Amino acid sequence: MMNRKLSISGFQLFCMIFLFEGGTTSVFGLAHNSKQDGWISIFISLILCCILLYVYLKLYEIYPSLLFTKYIQLILGEYAGKVVALIYIVYFLYIAARDLRDFEEVLVITLYNSSSIILIGIIMMSLIVYSLYKGLETFARANEVIFMLIVIMLFFLIGAETISKLQNFNNLRPVLENGIQPILKDVFPITLTFPFGELITFTMIFPYVNKTKKTFKIGFLAIIVTGILMIIFNINNIAILGASLFERTSFPLLTAVSFVNIAHFIQRLDTFVIMLMVFGGFIKITIFFYCALSGSADLFNVKKTEKLIYPLSIIIIMLSLFMAPNYLEHIKEGFEIVPYYLHIPLQVIIPVCLLLIVLIQRKIKFSKK
């Protein structure tokens, strides 16, 4: 049951962060506008993400047993806190729906051309609902298995590309051909907020880690390892595709893998990439859904969290269908509207302000004593 005291291990937290952050971005790619300098954008974003993660973990350190939506109310007061908590719940639902739409469209484009996105959405959401009914601990254990599978698949894909001699590292030159400006545009707000800023979801999961003192180390280790993996895949994809094709393709890893040919025998490894997409989508949507679910139960004092699973799952499916008329509009919203009006305020501005308010409050209390 989800309402009893939950407990997840440090390794399970590592796997969850790794898969949440890297499970999808290794497929979709990052920093397209920076072309051959994309790895620099990711590196800068990783450094900024460490600062952002410190803010999240510092808030967790101050309120180790409380969910993010709960200590918002303690910091801002009951009424203002509840309004902000509700905004975050809607945000988690909306991003879960956006991710669901991403994977509905990807699967229709790549494998299931004759299927409708609503059918794929219902099937995927059924699996997510089942995992949520089983609880966070079961989902965390599943992450350990999926982590092993994905690591094996990623090494296999890179190995196959290397054996096929596809990489041409001259494609990474010249460095900083267009200056620093395109890199900074990629960093802020796109790469910083997706995927790094989405770590805001783990403020709803940190209280369940059974080794509280090690959460800092595990969190930073997971994000650094994931960031290095993203840099490696960015360099690898550009070395294979070249800057021009990398910039134009929506799924660089899928395109790069399509060139693999080992002795005219090992070919068509697209299936492995699709598996990565499905695993990554499942984990990402489930975590966003869980955050909305636990936040809603806490805010509205629902004793049996399971009662909210079906209503919220229907909301996510309907949102994914009606948020944009087509995939192009969906992508345009994701890059031009969502980062500025949702990600930056909710991932960066509000958490930083909350931490500053808490530190000022504590300093005032200390000075009075």
Side-chain angles (χ1 to χ4, degrees), residues 162-174:
T162 304
I163 293 170
S164 299
K165 298 179 180 179
L166 297 177
Q167 291 98 336
N168 178 9
F169 291 101
N170 287 324
N171 288 332
L172 296 165
R173 299 160 64 184

Side-chain angles (χ1 to χ4, degrees), residues 120-234:
I120 292 173
I122 290 172
I123 293 171
M124 196 162 194
M125 188 53 68
S126 300
L127 179 62
I128 291 166
V129 165
Y130 177 76
S131 69
L132 288 173
Y133 262 106
K134 288 297 180 181
L136 182 66
E137 289 175 325
T138 304
F139 173 70
R141 286 194 293 272
N143 272 255
E144 294 180 276
V145 178
I146 296 172
F147 172 78
M148 300 298 179
L149 290 173
I150 283 186
V151 168
I152 291 169
M153 282 192 284
L154 290 176
F155 276 106
F156 172 71
L157 292 175
I158 289 183
E161 290 169 343
T162 304
I163 293 170
S164 299
K165 298 179 180 179
L166 297 177
Q167 291 98 336
N168 178 9
F169 291 101
N170 287 324
N171 288 332
L172 296 165
R173 299 160 64 184
V175 178
L176 296 176
E177 179 184 17
N178 301 307
I180 196 71
Q181 191 172 2
I183 293 173
L184 296 179
K185 282 185 177 180
D186 256 340
V187 170
F188 189 87
I190 306 298
T191 312
L192 175 61
T193 57
F194 171 79
F196 293 113
E198 292 179 331
L199 278 173
I200 188 70
T201 52
F202 283 87
T203 56
M204 304 290 287
I205 295 173
F206 287 145
Y208 302 127
V209 180
N210 56 20
K211 294 181 179 179
T212 306
K213 293 181 180 179
K214 292 186 177 181
T215 306
F216 264 82
K217 292 181 180 178
I218 293 166
F220 280 105
L221 178 64
I223 199 61
I224 290 169
V225 170
T226 307
I228 292 171
L229 178 74
M230 291 177 191
I231 291 171
I232 291 171
F233 268 91
N234 183 272

Side-chain angles (χ1 to χ4, degrees), residues 327-339:
Y327 189 55
L328 291 177
E329 284 294 321
H330 173 68
I331 293 297
K332 186 178 179 182
E333 288 176 9
F335 283 101
E336 296 180 9
I337 298 174
V338 174

